[in-house]
Amino acid sequence: MAGETVITIVGNLTADPETRTTQNGGTVCNFTIASTPRQYNSQSGQWEDGPALFLRCSAWRDLATHCAQSLAKGMRVIAQGRLQQRSYQAQDGSNRTVIELQVDEIGPSLKYATAQVQKMQSGGYQGGNANGGGYQQQPQQAQQQPQGADPWAAPAEPEF
């Protein structure tokens, strides 16, 4: 949407992601990313940590499930999404405002780690064509793929 503030943050998860189901039956996963800038101090010859930014994040639907299955406390992640401001009334009656990141994309940082990627069957293309129809990628048999096979390989011709 136009006018939304899109940001990318790199940092570590402060706790395991928490998943819950909303009253409408939707799935949401909440977690916090701590991003700490590092600066080189030329006088001391050492790297120093700057003030940490703790950003509350939420992921919805399939992404929520994937986050809960894949992420854990301490993992370094790269997340991209839209900043959203929300106001509520606290238990003590005071009005509070929070800024949260509605995550659109997230993944592990490979700067200090490696990862195994497994394509999920629910992750097909959800767009439509000019006739109003949608294309769903055919489920792949992950167990039958040979070692080293491309998990992102798509069928040669989409079926409409």
Side-chain angles (χ1 to χ4, degrees):
M1 283 183 151
E4 290 183 323
T5 304
V6 177
I7 67 163
T8 301
I9 184 170
V10 179
N12 297 66
L13 297 184
T14 62
D16 288 338
E18 298 174 1
T19 305
R20 65 181 174 83
T21 303
T22 65
Q23 294 175 351
N24 300 353
T27 304
V28 61
C29 183
N30 295 305
F31 49 91
T32 300
I33 298 175
S35 179
T36 307
R38 294 187 53 106
Q39 298 173 341
Y40 185 74
N41 184 334
S42 57
Q43 291 179 347
S44 69
Q46 299 200 2
W47 287 93
E48 297 175 352
D49 288 341
L53 168 71
F54 293 90
L55 187 58
R56 194 71 182 149
C57 304
S58 55
W60 293 84
R61 295 173 278 290
D62 286 344
L63 182 57
T65 304
H66 299 164
C67 287
Q69 292 173 351
S70 304
L71 304 177
K73 178 181 179 177
M75 287 182 125
R76 187 169 182 82
V77 295
I78 304 167
Q80 183 177 43
R82 296 161 281 126
L83 282 182
Q84 298 199 335
Q85 182 173 301
R86 175 172 65 85
S87 297
Y88 66 96
Q89 190 170 37
Q91 290 180 347
D92 64 2
S94 63
N95 292 326
R96 306 251 173 116
T97 300
V98 294
I99 296 176
E100 298 175 323
L101 180 66
Q102 297 292 321
V103 177
D104 293 322
E105 300 282 343
I106 188 167
S109 170
L110 300 181
K111 188 172 185 177
Y112 304 115
T114 61
Q116 291 286 329
V117 177
Q118 179 180 354
K119 186 174 181 180
M120 303 304 293
Q121 292 182 8
S122 63
Y125 174 70
Q126 300 292 324
N129 61 23
N131 297 326
Y135 165 70
Q136 288 285 345
Q137 209 168 0
Q138 298 299 318
Q140 296 181 5
Q141 300 297 328
Q143 302 88 322
Q144 296 177 359
Q145 287 184 349
Q147 191 76 357
D150 182 4
W152 301 111
E157 291 291 323
E159 297 177 34
F160 290 103

